[in-house]
Amino acid sequence: MKLIAGNWKMNGLQASAAEADAVRVAPRPRGVELLLCPPATLLAAFAGRLAGSGIGLGGQDCHALASGAHTGDLSAEMLADAGASHVIVGHSERRMDHGETDAIVRAKVQAAWRAGLVAILCVGETLAQREAGQALAVVAAQLAGSVPPGANAARLVIAYEPVWAIGSGLTPTPEQIVEVHQAIAGQMRGLAGEPVRVLYGGSVKPGNAAELLALPGVDGALVGGASLKAGDFLAIAAAAQGQTP
Ligand code: PGA
C-alpha cells in the first residue's frame, strides 16, 4: 500500500489543527495509507482529532535516548506517549542544521524501534554530489551507515529526498528517480531480508504527484510544503489511489 506522509516541518499553530479535521472528514482514497507529521507542539491535538481515523501521526525527529538531561530534545518514547505511530529521522534539514551524522541517525532509528515507532529514514544527495555523479554512492553510504540490524518492512520506511529538490520546485527526471529507488530497494533487500517501502520526497505537489507515484519503485511520497493545506495533501493522496504498490 502506498504511504503519503505530510511533513509540516516548523509550520503550524494551534489553529492549524483544523487541517487535521479536514483530512479526517474527507473521503479517504482507497488503498492509500496517510500519515501527518506536525510539529511536536501539535502532536497531542492531532492525536485527539485523528483518534480512530486510521490516519497515522508522526514526529519529525527524536533523541537517541529515552530520557535525561537534554534540554529542548524529545525522546521517541515521548512522541509515542503523545500519540505518534511514526517518526521521521535523518531529514536533510536535521543533518544540515544540527550536524546529524549517519551514526547519530542510526541511533535515532534504534530509539524509534525501542519506543515501538515506525522510523521514516531520509537519505538523499546534494546538487554538488548529483553533478559529480555521486548520487548513488552517497545514498548507499547513508543507508549503510544509518540502517541498524533488525530492519524490516513493518518498522522501517526509507524516504529518498534529493536535497536540491526539497522546497525548490525542482524534481529529478523519472529516470533518475527510478535509478535511485531501484538501488535503494536492492540494498534494503540485503539489509532487511525483505522489501522495504521507499518514498520519494522533494517538491511533490498535486500537479506532479500522479506522475511521480506511478514510477516503478515509488511506494509513496514524503510531502513538505504541499502537505500544509488539507486540500493539496488529499489531492496527492488521491493521485496515489489505484496505483499498484
Ligand atoms: P517539499 O519538502 O515537499 O516542501 O519539497 C519535502 C521534505 O523535505 O520532506
Side-chain angles (χ1 to χ4, degrees):
M1 194 185 293
K2 300 239 196 233
L3 170 62
I4 305 298
N7 172 14
W8 277 33
K9 309 191 180 185
M10 195 172 72
N11 297 292
L13 302 173
Q14 294 300 321
S16 331
E19 295 298 321
D21 293 333
V23 174
R24 183 195 170 112
V25 301
R28 190 79 47 78
R30 284 185 312 280
V32 181
E33 187 181 342
L34 298 182
L35 172 70
L36 288 174
C37 302
T41 48
L42 291 179
L43 275 177
F46 273 46
R49 286 163 189 260
L50 297 177
S53 69
I55 299 168
L57 182 64
Q60 298 177 9
D61 175 53
C62 65
H63 195 279
L65 298 176
S67 64
H70 300 285
T71 303
D73 279 315
L74 295 171
S75 70
E77 281 78 359
M78 290 170 171
L79 299 177
D81 184 53
S85 52
H86 293 63
V87 60
I88 298 168
V89 292
H91 191 282
S92 63
E93 288 152 14
R94 300 283 324 167
R95 292 176 188 262
M96 285 186 292
D97 294 355
H98 300 275
E100 291 190 8
T101 62
D102 288 332
I104 291 171
V105 174
R106 187 177 188 274
K108 292 183 176 203
V109 175
Q110 286 173 310
W113 294 348
R114 185 187 64 222
L117 300 179
V118 178
I120 301 180
L121 169 59
C122 302
V123 296
E125 81 286 357
T126 64
L127 186 57
Q129 289 165 335
R130 163 68 60 184
E131 288 176 347
Q134 296 168 347
L136 290 178
V138 165
V139 168
Q142 287 173 331
L143 288 178
S146 56
V147 177
N152 64 44
R155 59 184 189 170
L156 183 65
V157 175
I158 306 298
Y160 169 54
E161 298 205 307
V163 177
W164 52 275
I166 294 174
S168 65
L170 304 173
T171 53
T173 64
E175 294 74 20
Q176 288 171 331
I177 293 175
V178 170
E179 181 184 42
V180 178
H181 276 244
Q182 275 174 353
I184 292 173
Q187 190 172 353
M188 287 311 303
R189 268 194 301 275
L191 290 170
E194 63 179 358
V196 165
R197 281 191 288 186
V198 186
L199 313 182
Y200 168 76
S203 296
V204 177
K205 308 266 186 269
N208 62 15
E211 187 193 5
L212 293 168
L213 289 163
L215 295 173
V218 175
D219 302 314
L222 182 53
V223 185
S227 72
L228 292 170
K229 292 219 160 41
D232 287 349
F233 182 66
L234 289 163
I236 291 167
Q241 184 177 331
Q243 299 200 354
T244 48

